Amino acid sequence: MEAAPSQEHGRQHDRRQAGWRPLHDQVLDVSDDDDYNLALDQAGEALSCAGRVVVLSGAGISAESGVPTFREAQTGLWARFSPADLASPEAFAKDPERIWAWYHWRRTLIARGGPNAGHHALAQLAEIKSLQTITQNVDGLHQAAGSRRVAELHGNIWRERCSECDHARLVPMAEAQGDAPVRCRDCGAMMRPAIVWFGEMLPQTALVAADAALAEADCVIVVGTSNQVYPAAALVDTAVAGATPVIEINPQETPVSQHVDHRLAASASRALPDLVARLS
Ligand code: APR
């Protein structure tokens, strides 16, 4: 879900039982450019050998587009609201105007920032390799950069669905204005953002696509996620516990950093273009 760490769906793993491989032999301090370039060479080699690549992305890849994470988004005007006040079916039923105003505000930020060099590098990678992106992000920036195969675990802020009937629609990013609630053209009920809120299930299709892609992957890139929000983090646990090479891109250490095959301690907008450049 977009909103908070989840213990639902029985997908969470106990890391102590997840079959960790031992720490890779050479731990590189990527704080200096020589080390970064060496890590990049090794990661680039692993990626070069791969036919099918899976990307698991989180909020960090959009940070340089100026898109705040869910928690950061509760700043300024919105600071007095808790996540449950802004991202639950109950909150929507109680005050749809407030919820829509918040989502319209977030849409404006996303449209203003647009995709960054990290999103564009992945779209470029998709032209070279068979690429499946699995994202926790709801901002649609992978698709805006040109990525086509994107499984969205937490929904999409640009998609609206009727709270009563089956009607749904995708709002073009260029139309990111207005803050009034929208009514369904078919039944007149309130439309809502097609985002996974507190207490809601993740879309089964995205989970199935993620499992299938990971089972077939030759290389996995984990970028911009803290690997702490389940069930999405369980996909990373699965990748790290398997034999497929895993590349992590994140300036900060995460619970899996010590267990991945290649770690690029840099921003997504630096490391992803650098990595893709190693292929051409
Ligand atoms: N490049 C790469 N990684 C970055 C960058 C960057 N420029 N900036 C920050 N990061 C990393 C941070 O170090 C952190 O590990 O991105 C990670 C973001 O972690 P979270 O905010 O926990 O995001 P995520 O793992 O996606 O899970 C958040 O809450 O915001 C919602 O929808 C989101 O459900 C998801 C959950």
Side-chain angles (χ1 to χ4, degrees):
M1 72 178 71
E2 189 201 35
S6 169
Q7 298 300 311
E8 291 175 42
H9 317 302
R11 293 177 62 91
Q12 66 271 29
H13 287 197
D14 181 337
R15 287 198 167 84
R16 288 161 303 184
Q17 297 170 359
W20 296 114
R21 277 171 292 166
L23 185 63
H24 46 95
D25 294 334
Q26 196 184 7
V27 181
L28 296 166
D29 171 8
V30 190
S31 55
D32 108 9
D33 267 359
D34 286 347
D35 288 343
Y36 174 74
N37 285 326
L38 180 56
L40 198 56
D41 285 344
Q42 294 173 345
E45 209 175 306
L47 189 58
S48 296
C49 299
R52 285 160 300 197
V53 180
V54 167
V55 170
L56 295 166
S57 73
I61 193 171
S62 296
E64 290 158 286
S65 295
V67 178
T69 65
F70 183 88
R71 285 165 285 272
E72 290 167 339
Q74 288 159 270
T75 56
L77 273 180
W78 304 102
R80 64 200 167 95
F81 298 108
S82 74
D85 287 337
L86 297 168
S88 70
E90 295 76 21
F92 185 71
K94 200 167 141 197
D95 194 346
E97 283 79 11
R98 179 204 290 166
I99 307 307
W100 266 118
W102 190 63
Y103 279 100
H104 280 302
W105 175 73
R106 289 179 66 195
R107 279 181 176 178
T108 307
L109 292 182
I110 295 163
R112 195 183 297 151
N116 64 51
H119 298 105
H120 286 299
L122 289 179
Q124 201 187 332
L125 181 60
E127 289 171 13
I128 307 169
K129 305 280 182 187
S130 164
L131 183 75
Q132 170 74 60
T133 298
I134 300 158
T135 189
Q136 296 173 69
N137 300 345
V138 300
D139 53 39
L141 290 176
H142 284 298
Q143 297 92 322
S147 285
R148 292 283 161 261
R149 289 173 60 204
V150 183
E152 294 172 316
L153 297 173
H154 298 163
N156 186 312
I157 199 168
W158 300 100
R159 199 170 153 77
E160 299 169 353
R161 66 178 172 85
C162 180
S163 50
E164 296 292 336
C165 76
D166 288 339
H167 178 59
R169 67 173 200 143
L170 200 58
V171 178
M173 212 175 272
E175 290 175 22
Q177 68 262 68
D179 60 3
V182 187
R183 294 234 166 234
C184 176
R185 58 132 216 236
D186 290 348
C187 74
M190 203 69 83
M191 297 292 280
R192 54 160 283 182
I195 281 179
V196 181
W197 281 339
F198 275 108
E200 297 183 327
M201 299 289 287
L202 272 69
Q204 197 57 29
T205 45
L207 288 171
V208 169
D211 283 335
L214 279 176
E216 296 198 334
D218 305 314
C219 183
V220 177
I221 301 171
V222 181
V223 54
T225 171
S226 60
N227 299 316
Q228 287 176 2
V229 179
Y230 284 79
L235 297 171
V236 178
D237 289 347
T238 302
V240 172
T244 307
V246 177
I247 301 167
E248 180 182 55
I249 297 173
N250 194 321
Q252 305 293 328
E253 289 232 346
T254 75
V256 304
S257 297
Q258 297 292 305
H259 305 281
V260 297
D261 300 273
H262 308 283
R263 174 166 159 70
L264 300 176
S267 71
S269 71
R270 177 185 181 193
L272 282 169
D274 282 354
L275 192 57
V276 173
R278 287 290 193 277
L279 303 180
S280 33

